[in-house]
């Protein structure tokens, strides 16, 4: 019974830590072009003027937006918003709602992409940790007494 409780505790800790580990699989790089390509995933800071202009669409105190570029020009960027970060609180997840931002409302744009190298390293680390935990709790059956007579029936 105690072994099951220890295993549940370990799984709960792994479940809590896993999202943080997967976040490490992404890299953010500053945009190298003045206008991002369609379908790229970007993170941008909201300017003070943008905060005032966009408050009724993305909320008061928005400081950062992450989204997928639908279209972009020198005057406006249309994004499918994935997340909005706020000055005085946690980020809020969005459901790819399409929002048009005037270009002056955005600054410090960077592209967020999945790093294959980091993802493989993280996958190997998680797999190794899971195997070690399973071995420690006897879930894999390594080194047990096997091959002997089965226990007598009650």
């Amino acid at each position: 019974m105690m072994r099951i409780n220890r295993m549940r505790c370990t799984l709960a800790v792994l479940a809590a830590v896993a999202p943080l580990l997967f976040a490490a699989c992404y890299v953010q790089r500053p945009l190298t072009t003045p206008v991002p390509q369609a379908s790229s995933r970007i993170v941008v800071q909201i300017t003070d003027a943008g905060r005032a202009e966009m408050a009724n669409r993305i909320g008061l105190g928005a400081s950062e937006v992450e989204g997928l570029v639908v279209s972009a020009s020198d005057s406006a960027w249309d994004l499918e918003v994935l997340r909005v970060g706020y000055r005085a609180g946690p980020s809020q997840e969005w459901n790819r709602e399409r929002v048009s931002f005037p270009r002056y409302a955005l600054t410090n744009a960077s592209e967020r992409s999945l790093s294959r190298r980091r993802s493989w390293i993280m996958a190997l680390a998680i797999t190794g940790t899971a195997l070690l935990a399973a071995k420690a709790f006897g879930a894999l059956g390594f080194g047990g007494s096997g091959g002997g007579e089965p226990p007598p029936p009650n």
Side-chain angles (χ1 to χ4, degrees), residues 19 32 83:
T32 56
R83 179 184 61 81

Side-chain angles (χ1 to χ4, degrees), residues 120-146:
W120 275 107
I121 290 170
M122 196 55 59
L124 291 172
I126 290 170
T127 302
T129 303
L131 287 173
L132 288 174
K135 182 178 181 194
F137 291 112
L140 295 178
F142 292 146
S145 59

Side-chain angles (χ1 to χ4, degrees), residues 49-139:
R51 230 181 314 284
E53 173 75 24
M54 302 301 293
N56 64 340
R57 289 181 240 165
I58 61 173
L60 291 172
S63 60
E64 179 180 83
V65 172
E66 180 177 349
L68 300 171
V69 177
V70 176
S71 65
S73 69
D74 292 336
S75 60
W77 292 3
D78 290 345
L79 303 178
E80 288 181 348
V81 178
L82 302 171
R83 179 184 61 81
V84 177
Y86 295 94
R87 287 177 143 177
S91 294
Q92 185 175 24
E93 300 294 320
W94 281 44
N95 216 10
R96 296 177 77 151
E97 290 91 348
R98 188 172 176 170
V99 179
S100 182
F101 293 87
R103 183 61 187 100
Y104 66 84
L106 308 173
T107 188
N108 297 333
S110 58
E111 186 170 14
R112 188 166 188 207
S113 60
L114 189 65
S115 168
R116 287 185 180 186
R117 181 175 174 261
R118 286 184 181 184
S119 297
W120 275 107
I121 290 170
M122 196 55 59
L124 291 172
I126 290 170
T127 302
T129 303
L131 287 173
L132 288 174
K135 182 178 181 194
F137 291 112

Side-chain angles (χ1 to χ4, degrees), residues 2-23:
M2 187 161 169
R3 190 163 83 178
I4 291 173
N5 287 338
R6 282 181 28 198
M7 189 176 292
R8 284 184 182 164
C9 182
T10 302
L11 289 174
V13 169
L14 287 174
V17 172
L20 299 174
L21 297 175
F22 289 121

